[in-house]
Amino acid sequence: MKNQDLKSGNLYIIATPIGNYNDISKRALIILNKVDYILAEDTRKTGILLKYFKIKKKLYSYYEYNEKKNSTFFLKKIKKGHNIALVSDSGTPLISDPGYRIIKLCRQKDINIIPIPGPCAAILALIISGLPTNRFCYEGFLSHKKNKRIQRLNELKLENRTLIIYESTHRLLKCLHDIKKIFGKERYIVLIKELTKKWENIYGNNVSNLIKWIKLDLNRLKGELVLVISGYNNSELNNYKISPKIIKTFLLLKKELSTKKAIQITSDIFSIKKNLLYKFYIKKKY
Ligand code: SAM
């Protein structure tokens, strides 16, 4: 606990689980129990979370369409000394979720804002993607409108930082086709699904093969997902670590099979690009 956690007139921004309720922090539970009330994106969904943790607290709705009106209203309450928590349906509020307006207002009025850290799908996807994490670029959701989506992708085409995009199941293929058209069929993408949940899954390949892989089994479209996209001109050979396990598998297969076949099987097993392994093979001259 920080000393500030005990004072009054605070706005707490609390991250909540993105699938696995065990990911809620101890501090999040303490604060949720302590505040006067909670602002929630969807009071029904947050109600389920609170019930699970046996927290009884008044919930108010705070979402895209009432953000403006409610921000001013709750700012006055905080000024009077109320402690308020803001949560979204899942993960970190404000990351493709409501909250920006009230934070902006509170900053202008010098109100104490206390972040309570926790899960964020974008960050979890990035750290397991195997793509460079030293510089990255969060794009959230691309527009539903094709023209706007294409325009944004054109602006991002030469972005050389790793890109993170949120997408929904029913727009995934459309989005991947647009990426293929604009970024080129070789652009490497990692599709990460159902983080922290039972069917958590990761698959990486160039966009062309990724589309083919999904079409082989349309169940692969299902679930919550994040796309982590290699930046433009990112020399994957330099940035992508070919682990000792991959090398060992490749060398064992190569004893029995042709180089081409050994590369193909190794890349299938570890979901890595064939030409990445091939370049690696040429460079090391195994
Ligand atoms: N604020 C949230 C966060 O911190 O990640 C994101 C909210 S945004 C409205 C919801 C999107 O996040 C989903 O459409 C999906 O792209 C991504 N997402 C949320 N939970 C996820 C999960 N468990 N696995 C993969 N992606 C997830």
Side-chain angles (χ1 to χ4, degrees):
M1 289 287 269
K2 290 204 306 178
N3 275 344
Q4 276 170 320
D5 287 354
L6 305 168
K7 289 183 186 158
S8 61
N10 288 328
L11 174 63
Y12 298 93
I13 312 299
I14 304 186
T16 56
I18 58 168
N20 188 332
Y21 274 8
N22 287 330
D23 291 333
I24 198 145
S25 78
K26 207 167 169 183
R27 188 161 168 233
L29 292 177
I30 293 171
I31 305 289
L32 286 169
N33 264 301
K34 168 189 167 302
V35 288
D36 295 300
Y37 38 85
I38 299 167
L39 307 187
E41 183 184 4
D42 179 334
T43 52
R44 194 190 57 86
K45 286 189 182 156
T46 301
I48 296 171
L49 178 86
L50 295 186
K51 195 168 172 204
Y52 180 86
F53 290 107
K54 300 187 173 55
I55 297 173
K56 284 193 180 140
K57 202 58 67 174
K58 180 99 186 118
L59 285 169
Y60 290 95
S61 134
Y62 181 90
Y63 68 110
E64 201 182 341
Y65 297 102
N66 67 17
E67 242 194 310
K68 200 170 174 185
K69 192 175 101 213
N70 280 3
S71 294
T72 323
F73 178 79
F74 287 111
L75 175 80
K76 286 182 189 152
K77 300 281 185 198
I78 301 170
K79 275 182 159 175
K80 278 188 187 163
H82 292 191
N83 277 318
I84 299 183
L86 172 78
V87 297
S88 60
D89 289 353
S90 71
T92 302
L94 280 88
I95 303 300
S96 297
D97 270 342
Y100 171 67
R101 279 181 191 276
I102 193 161
I103 301 295
K104 192 174 164 204
L105 261 181
C106 287
R107 288 289 308 131
Q108 284 163 357
K109 305 288 176 193
D110 220 15
I111 278 166
N112 218 9
I113 306 164
I114 303 177
I116 310 295
C120 173
I123 297 298
L124 295 185
L126 172 71
I127 62 172
I128 61 166
S129 69
L131 289 170
T133 53
N134 52 340
R135 290 190 186 86
F136 61 90
C137 173
Y138 174 70
E139 271 296 310
F141 290 96
L142 292 172
S143 175
H144 304 181
K145 295 185 183 137
K146 189 165 175 82
N147 286 351
K148 284 195 173 169
R149 192 166 65 236
I150 298 278
Q151 187 190 338
R152 187 68 192 134
L153 286 171
N154 270 312
E155 286 159 4
L156 291 168
K157 186 179 172 175
L158 301 182
E159 171 59 66
N160 53 22
R161 291 171 293 178
T162 301
L163 278 167
I164 308 170
I165 289 178
Y166 283 166
E167 196 44 278
S168 66
T169 288
H170 61 280
R171 272 195 303 272
L172 178 62
L173 276 177
K174 276 188 199 154
C175 173
L176 289 176
H177 279 294
D178 289 343
I179 292 175
K180 182 178 160 189
K181 198 163 128 197
I182 293 160
F183 288 10
K185 61 184 172 42
E186 283 300 320
R187 188 67 76 101
Y188 187 73
I189 302 186
V190 187
L191 169 66
I192 293 136
K193 293 187 6 180
E194 296 288 275
L195 282 158
T196 78
K197 302 186 206 174
K198 187 176 176 190
W199 302 110
E200 184 175 289
N201 184 263
I202 176 165
Y203 180 77
N205 212 323
N206 68 43
V207 58
S208 199
N209 288 340
L210 178 57
I211 294 172
K212 282 184 204 152
W213 180 79
I214 293 170
K215 285 184 175 167
L216 281 177
D217 177 359
L218 290 178
N219 280 320
R220 290 173 177 163
L221 281 172
K222 288 184 186 160
E224 292 203 275
L225 58 99
V226 183
L227 295 175
V228 184
I229 307 174
S230 173
Y232 175 76
N233 231 354
N234 158 31
S235 166
E236 279 148 347
L237 196 57
N238 292 331
N239 292 314
Y240 194 100
K241 294 266 180 300
I242 305 230
S243 71
K245 200 170 160 191
I246 298 178
I247 296 170
K248 195 174 166 197
T249 310
F250 168 67
L251 292 176
L252 280 172
L253 288 167
K254 200 178 158 301
K255 275 189 190 164
E256 305 294 326
L257 303 163
S258 68
T259 304
K260 193 178 167 197
K261 202 73 195 153
I263 286 180
Q264 191 188 329
I265 297 176
T266 314
S267 67
D268 282 350
I269 296 174
F270 295 100
S271 300
I272 60 170
K273 285 168 81 171
K274 274 198 290 254
N275 70 347
L276 196 65
L277 257 177
Y278 187 69
K279 283 185 207 165
F280 183 77
Y281 166 71
I282 300 278
K283 210 174 164 186
K284 301 279 178 190
K285 294 195 181 64
Y286 279 107

